[in-house]
Amino acid sequence: MTTDRDVEVEYPLTEFVAKLRRLADALESGKPFRIQVQNKRFTVPRSAQWSVEHEAEHGEVEVEFQLKWKVADAPDKPEHDDEV
């Protein structure tokens, strides 16, 4: 059973770029993407759907890169230690 969670973490630019680079490498190679966000580690499956969201309101602009999948589609642990 998964509990609801909604967190946003700000990273220094170098860490943010490194995460994006690892994600891009995983997408290009067809591998699942393993990441940790605020003490929770999880795997984004190869079957995840991705989108870009743009919002503009109250004088602020936001762009979000989103990956979505069903919990049942992603294992809690990686199949292999070499996952990105």
Side-chain angles (χ1 to χ4, degrees):
M1 177 189 239
T2 304
T3 59
D4 289 344
R5 181 173 184 197
D6 187 4
V7 297
E8 183 175 330
V9 180
E10 292 185 17
Y11 292 97
L13 181 59
T14 56
E15 286 184 45
F16 183 72
V17 168
K19 288 181 187 302
L20 287 176
R21 191 164 285 129
R22 284 190 325 104
L23 173 60
D25 289 347
L27 291 172
E28 283 184 335
S29 67
K31 291 183 177 180
F33 178 66
R34 191 97 169 121
I35 189 170
Q36 182 171 327
V37 178
Q38 200 171 38
N39 299 323
K40 174 137 174 83
R41 182 171 289 279
F42 55 92
T43 300
V44 179
R46 293 181 288 268
S47 61
Q49 296 177 346
W50 53 275
S51 63
V52 178
E53 182 178 324
H54 172 252
E55 296 178 26
E57 62 183 3
H58 309 295
E60 292 185 345
V61 178
E62 184 174 321
V63 174
E64 293 181 8
F65 294 88
Q66 296 184 349
L67 298 163
K68 292 183 183 181
W69 65 94
K70 300 280 186 200
V71 173
D73 293 343
D76 288 336
K77 300 204 184 260
E79 296 173 15
H80 306 287
D81 288 339
D82 64 346
E83 286 187 10
V84 178

